């Protein structure tokens, strides 16, 4: 890198720190980086940032060091300069109150580091549930050429001859323990088998879903979604990600050229086909909707097989980071082979697909149900409300022998929406112990929170507006009748408008606030579930607004 070079748009000369003297800024930057032993010829290459989300608190990213090594190799083989930098890392089970609370912070962290540091392209290493959405939200705003590298799924384990994996089986075994079908010794034994290696959950939960969506968007290298974390295939995907990053840096193939209306429609088709709506059948035979695990999907050639089956429904001219269209990539992946993980459209797992949006006076802004993981017998159901006012209330009473509940009732949990509790995955309420012991396996549950993508049951989520903002959910009382009709996409509280208005007037809402820090920012600026629980100020600005710091 020459100090005289005045191009401030590429390599290490990009985005100079402002001292009021650009020559000095570059001189100083070069002095510091040379302190780390870099040569001039290294510094003259395209700079590829590698966002490292490895953390001792995130076993889903436990292979990050190996992936980084492989990405660096790919970058250098292609003539680029790899620069690894840390960002936040969020694991589902290690963040309080929950990972969703921190997703927007990670997105802002990613966006600002991509803007602030000099790089011509970036490889984002992510995997655990909120990390890939956070990274892509940030990268979309930063606008660089971007490659998403998925950490990959964990291996499955074995418990007393049965194949098990997180986290559908975690919930299933915990349910058995609560129902006293297995004892303390067995639940401890299975605990050591559910997560058999580093990597993300092995079923079609949020992490695997986001991996498939990233590939469908065209933001991973071909085949980047499915290789398990500890396989040679995953390492090769990492090396290829580094190579492609240099290529897209040279071509200036920025993320806005990949994230188009067509690529989003393709991603939505894939979401529906993997367990996720209404016009696209569910084709993928993975837990929690069905039986297999991510490693089986990979053995069935992963996304190539799924995309080939979905071909007539996709925009084949959507561009991917390879520089080729999705259609060209599907062609290049070959003719396919006999396998039983991805079903044909003529013979789907579910004709209707996975996710349905419900509306009605209980959810004027909408609610969702993952119907592919629900009980067919409960999808048309009317029942009596059994109300829990918040998480603490539920924890105190759900296992009480005195709880007035039957399997035909509908459990209501309030105040777990974005402002109520940062949307924890508590929508998967446990079956009340006395019902579980009596053999009840499912009951209709309704809340303004979320559930893990690995969970199953007839569970209505994301009720909008949330109860903490005074949505109708806040005014449901014990004994009210509620009607759920998935066929009619209906969620209704069977009381009159006058009665609802009377209850609202009698009990004005008090929107939660915080005194300081990120929690204050979150509570003041988070949007509702139907807007992705993003921050209002992260929405794109009107076109005529000029950024303050350029
Ligand atoms: Fe990380 Fe499931 S906990 S992907």
């Amino acid at each position: 890198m020459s100090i005289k070079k005045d191009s401030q748009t590429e390599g290490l000369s990009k985005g100079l720190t402002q001292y009021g003297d650009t020559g000095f800024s570059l001189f100083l930057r070069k002095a510091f980086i040379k302190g780390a032993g870099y040569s001039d010829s290294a510094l003259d290459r395209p700079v590829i940032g590698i966002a490292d989300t490895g953390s001792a608190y995130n076993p889903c990213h436990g292979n990050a060091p190996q992936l980084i090594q492989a990405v660096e190799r790919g970058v250098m083989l292609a003539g680029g300069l790899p620069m690894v930098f840390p960002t936040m890392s969020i694991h589902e089970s290690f963040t309080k109150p929950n990972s969703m609370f921190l997703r927007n912070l990670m997105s802002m962290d990613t966006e600002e580091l991509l803007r602030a540091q000099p790089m011509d392209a970036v490889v984002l290493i992510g995997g655990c549930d909120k990390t890939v959405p956070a990274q892509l939200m940030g990268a979309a705003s930063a606008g660089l050429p971007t490659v998403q590298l998925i950490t990959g799924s964990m291996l499955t384990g074995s418990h007393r001859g049965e194949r098990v994996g997180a986290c559908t089986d975690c919930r299933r075994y915990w349910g058995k323990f609560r129902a006293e079908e297995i004892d303390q010794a067995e639940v401890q034994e299975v605990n050591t088998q559910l997560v058999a290696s580093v990597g993300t959950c092995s079923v079609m939960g949020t992490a695997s879903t986001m991996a498939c969506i990233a590939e469908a968007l065209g933001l991973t290298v071909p085949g980047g979604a499915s290789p398990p974390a500890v396989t040679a295939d995953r390492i090769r995907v990492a090396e290829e990600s580094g190579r492609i990053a240099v290529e897209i840096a040279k071509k200036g193939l920025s993320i806005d050229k990949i994230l188009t209306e067509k690529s989003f429609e393709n991603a939505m088709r894939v979401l529906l086909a993997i367990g996720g709506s209404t016009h696209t059948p569910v084709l993928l035979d993975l837990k929690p909707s069905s039986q297999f695990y991510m490693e089986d999907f990979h053995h069935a050639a992963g996304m190539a097989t799924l995309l080939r089956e979905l071909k007539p429904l996709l925009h084949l001219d959507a561009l991917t980071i390879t520089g080729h269209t999705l259609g060209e990539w599907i062609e290049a992946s070959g003719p396919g082979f006999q396998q039983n993980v991805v079903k044909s459209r003529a013979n789907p797992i579910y004709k209707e697909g996975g996710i349905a949006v419900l509306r009605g006076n209980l959810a004027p802004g909408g609610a969702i149900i993952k119907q592919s993981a629900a009980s067919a017998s409960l999808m048309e159901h009317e029942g009596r409300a059994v109300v829990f006012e918040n998480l603490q209330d539920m924890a105190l009473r759900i296992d009480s022998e005195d709880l007035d509940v039957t399997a035909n009732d509908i459990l209501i949990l309030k105040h777990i929406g974005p402002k109520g509790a940062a949307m924890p995955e508590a929508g998967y309420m446990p079956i009340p112990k006395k019902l579980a012991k009596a053999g009840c396996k499912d009951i209709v549950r309704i809340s303004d929170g979320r559930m893990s993508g690995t969970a199953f049951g007839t569970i209505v989520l994301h009720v909008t507006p949330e109860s903490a903002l005074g949505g109708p959910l806040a005014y449901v009382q014990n004994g009210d009748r509620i009607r759920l009709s998935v066929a009619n996409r209906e969620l209704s509280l069977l009381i009159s408008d006058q009665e609802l208005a009377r209850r609202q007037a009698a009990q004005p809402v008090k929107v939660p606030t915080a005194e300081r820090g990120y929690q204050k920012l979150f509570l003041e600026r988070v949007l509702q579930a139907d807007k992705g629980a993003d921050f209002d100020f992260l929405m794109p600005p009107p076109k005529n607004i000029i950024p303050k710091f350029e």
Side-chain angles (χ1 to χ4, degrees), residues 58 60 91-93 127-129 154 167 199-201 207 454:
N58 194 344
C60 297
H91 184 278
E92 283 303 299
S93 303
C128 194
D129 296 6
M154 62 183 69
C167 234
T200 58
C201 287
T454 65

Side-chain angles (χ1 to χ4, degrees), residues 245-264:
V246 177
E247 223 172 69
I248 61 176
K250 288 179 180 165
K251 289 182 194 157
L253 189 57
S254 50
I255 191 167
D256 54 296
K257 300 186 179 84
I258 308 295
L259 292 181
T260 60
E261 209 172 314
K262 287 179 178 176
S263 68
F264 274 106

Side-chain angles (χ1 to χ4, degrees), residues 115-299:
R115 278 189 205 289
Q117 302 175 138
M119 61 189 85
D120 299 301
V122 65
V123 178
L124 303 167
I125 301 178
C128 194
D129 296 6
K130 305 306 170 290
T131 59
V132 172
Q135 289 180 317
L136 291 183
M137 287 160 73
S141 300
L144 289 174
T146 302
V147 178
Q148 180 73 58
L149 172 58
I150 303 297
T151 57
S153 60
M154 62 183 69
L155 299 178
T156 51
S158 176
H159 172 66
R160 301 188 181 178
E162 190 191 343
R163 193 178 181 203
V164 292
C167 234
T168 306
D169 296 323
C170 310
R171 295 174 205 289
R172 194 163 57 82
Y173 273 91
W174 189 249
K176 283 182 176 207
F177 178 60
R178 281 176 53 79
E180 298 177 8
E181 290 170 22
I182 62 172
D183 59 14
Q184 182 76 37
E186 184 170 355
V187 83
Q188 257 171 273
E189 193 182 318
V190 75
N191 188 254
T192 60
Q193 291 303 314
L194 287 161
V195 179
S197 74
V198 296
T200 58
C201 287
S202 53
V203 298
M204 192 45 74
T206 310
S208 303
T209 305
M210 292 304 143
C212 293
I213 283 180
E215 184 165 349
L217 283 168
L219 283 170
T220 72
V221 302
S226 61
V230 296
T231 58
D233 279 346
R234 175 54 62 197
I235 300 295
R236 273 187 286 273
V237 164
E239 184 187 299
E240 177 66 359
S241 298
R243 189 191 69 75
I244 290 266
V246 177
E247 223 172 69
I248 61 176
K250 288 179 180 165
K251 289 182 194 157
L253 189 57
S254 50
I255 191 167
D256 54 296
K257 300 186 179 84
I258 308 295
L259 292 181
T260 60
E261 209 172 314
K262 287 179 178 176
S263 68
F264 274 106
E265 277 187 24
N266 287 341
M268 283 166 72
R269 288 281 182 201
V270 164
L271 170 66
L272 308 183
I274 60 181
S277 165
T278 51
H279 307 300
T280 306
V282 176
L283 302 182
L284 194 51
D285 198 358
L286 255 59
K287 289 189 174 195
S289 299
S290 204
Q291 55 173 324
F292 290 111
Y293 295 86
M294 271 307 269
E295 61 193 83
D296 305 309
F297 182 40
H298 183 56
H299 293 151

Side-chain angles (χ1 to χ4, degrees), residues 303-323:
M303 287 291 285
T305 305
L306 182 72
L307 293 172
R308 200 179 297 113
E309 195 56 44
L310 286 175
K311 213 170 150 184
L313 302 175
L314 299 173
H315 297 290
L316 298 175
D317 57 341
L319 191 62
T320 72
I321 52 166
T322 60

